[in-house]
Amino acid sequence: MQANKTPHRNAFLNALAQVNDQVCFVLFLDFQIGPELQDLADKQAAEYTPTVFPENPFAERIYVSMGKLLTFRSAQVQTALGVSFAFAVEQLLLYIETSIRHWSEINGVVCQFTEPIDACLQSWALKNANGKIDANLIKTVKYLRLRRNHVIHNASELTSELTKTLKYDGPSLQKSWEFRTTIPGLDFSSGATRVFSADETISLIKLVRICVEEIDAFLAKELDGASVLKWLDKDLLTRQPELRAEGAAIITRRVRKVKKRVLEMYALVATPTEVAHVLGVAI
């Protein structure tokens, strides 16, 4: 019996899908409204926002000339793309921690968490996993984390760690990912880590999603199928203690519920007989 996903994967992928949608909406608005603002700036460059937009309650608050408003527009798009990227990476890092904790609970392994989380994942996999996690996957998470830190800390200079990553890991990551998929606008060796183009931001969010999918597939394969069934059964009995009762009908219902949940949550296919055997009951 083999799990093919963890129960946390879909929630984080849905969050990333929402980030991608919001990025696309920001870009849609900018493309649609940008030419109109440019036209107004060309015709009324010296006029201030309250004059040009008398019905807009926020025109007085921003109070800049139309010429300067274009600068605000450009800065706003960069901020929106940078924040969206940072939030996407935050989801990835949170996913890794959540899933390792879940794996540890299921398999009964004590996991000492240390920072950064990508190094923790690498160390955990080395000590506890039967399979070997892709080194480029770990390096990609590290790149994303370091770039995200550079954005949210509004750092004017690259940290030494990020500089080393761009120099030594950048070329191999570029080659590896370009061989596997399309990542327009993304340059793993570029030092312009706080500047985002539309294509690059979409590529980065796509990359975060792939990292979640691949790490999840790795962790799922490392779960012990029997332990997953026992864990789900324990949780089920805690929520529905009436299923502890004896009797063929109750036991069959209990087995059926565990079988259904393990398929929905872990994409693990098990027969009623296999479930019953692991739970130590007869059907």
Side-chain angles (χ1 to χ4, degrees):
M1 295 179 292
Q2 176 65 63
N4 292 292
K5 69 174 183 176
T6 75
H8 303 291
R9 184 194 69 174
N10 287 353
F12 284 93
L13 289 180
N14 288 339
L16 292 174
Q18 292 177 15
V19 174
N20 185 72
D21 289 346
Q22 291 302 310
V23 166
C24 290
F25 183 66
V26 167
L27 296 172
F28 166 80
L29 285 181
D30 184 61
F31 184 86
Q32 194 68 31
I33 297 174
E36 297 180 19
L37 291 179
Q38 182 66 60
D39 184 58
L40 288 172
D42 291 341
K43 295 177 180 177
Q44 300 171 267
E47 298 289 345
Y48 280 75
T49 47
T51 302
V52 181
F53 304 102
E55 297 181 1
N56 190 319
F58 300 100
E60 187 71 38
R61 287 179 177 272
I62 191 169
Y63 200 81
V64 294
S65 66
M66 288 305 299
K68 193 172 182 179
L69 191 63
L70 294 179
T71 304
F72 272 67
R73 168 206 165 200
S74 178
Q76 185 276 330
V77 171
Q78 278 298 306
T79 298
L81 295 181
V83 169
S84 296
F85 162 72
F87 182 75
V89 176
E90 190 68 21
Q91 293 300 304
L92 169 62
L93 302 181
L94 182 59
Y95 159 77
I96 294 174
E97 180 178 348
T98 301
S99 295
I100 292 179
R101 288 189 186 279
H102 183 69
W103 183 96
S104 300
E105 182 180 2
I106 294 291
N107 282 15
V109 175
V110 177
C111 182
Q112 297 295 328
F113 280 89
T114 57
E115 294 293 342
I117 196 64
D118 44 280
C120 182
L121 174 60
Q122 185 177 36
S123 175
W124 168 88
L126 184 64
K127 294 177 181 177
N128 301 293
N130 294 317
K132 186 177 181 181
I133 194 165
D134 182 4
N136 276 333
L137 190 57
I138 298 293
K139 290 178 181 179
T140 300
V141 175
K142 180 180 180 180
Y143 166 83
L144 293 168
R145 172 179 60 81
L146 291 174
R147 186 168 180 184
R148 165 256 191 193
N149 289 348
H150 193 60
V151 171
I152 64 174
H153 295 156
N154 198 28
S156 58
E157 296 182 2
L158 302 179
T159 63
S160 59
E161 191 175 15
L162 179 53
T163 299
K164 290 178 181 178
T165 295
L166 297 176
K167 180 178 180 180
Y168 297 111
D169 294 337
S172 61
L173 289 177
Q174 194 77 35
K175 183 177 180 180
S176 175
W177 285 108
E178 285 183 346
F179 177 77
R180 297 180 52 191
T181 187
T182 56
I183 47 172
L186 179 54
D187 181 357
F188 284 97
S189 299
S190 173
T193 55
R194 286 172 51 200
V195 179
F196 296 88
S197 69
D199 284 344
E200 182 189 32
T201 307
I202 293 172
S203 292
L204 284 166
I205 295 174
K206 172 185 176 181
L207 200 62
V208 171
R209 187 191 74 241
I210 295 174
C211 285
V212 169
E213 291 172 340
E214 296 201 353
I215 293 171
D216 192 84
F218 175 80
L219 292 174
K221 291 180 180 178
E222 295 295 328
L223 287 170
D224 177 70
S227 296
V228 171
L229 291 174
K230 291 177 181 178
W231 185 83
L232 285 175
D233 183 56
K234 180 180 178 181
D235 178 67
L236 177 65
L237 294 178
T238 298
R239 293 183 297 102
Q240 295 183 257
E242 69 275 12
L243 293 177
R244 296 179 184 273
E246 298 293 334
I250 295 296
I251 292 175
T252 299
R253 182 183 171 198
R254 174 181 163 192
V255 168
R256 184 173 65 249
K257 282 181 172 291
V258 171
K259 176 179 178 295
K260 179 181 179 182
R261 291 191 72 204
V262 78
L263 178 61
E264 292 174 346
M265 296 173 63
Y266 296 87
L268 188 157
V269 179
T271 65
T273 301
E274 288 173 325
V275 175
H277 176 73
V278 171
L279 303 188
V281 297
I283 56 174

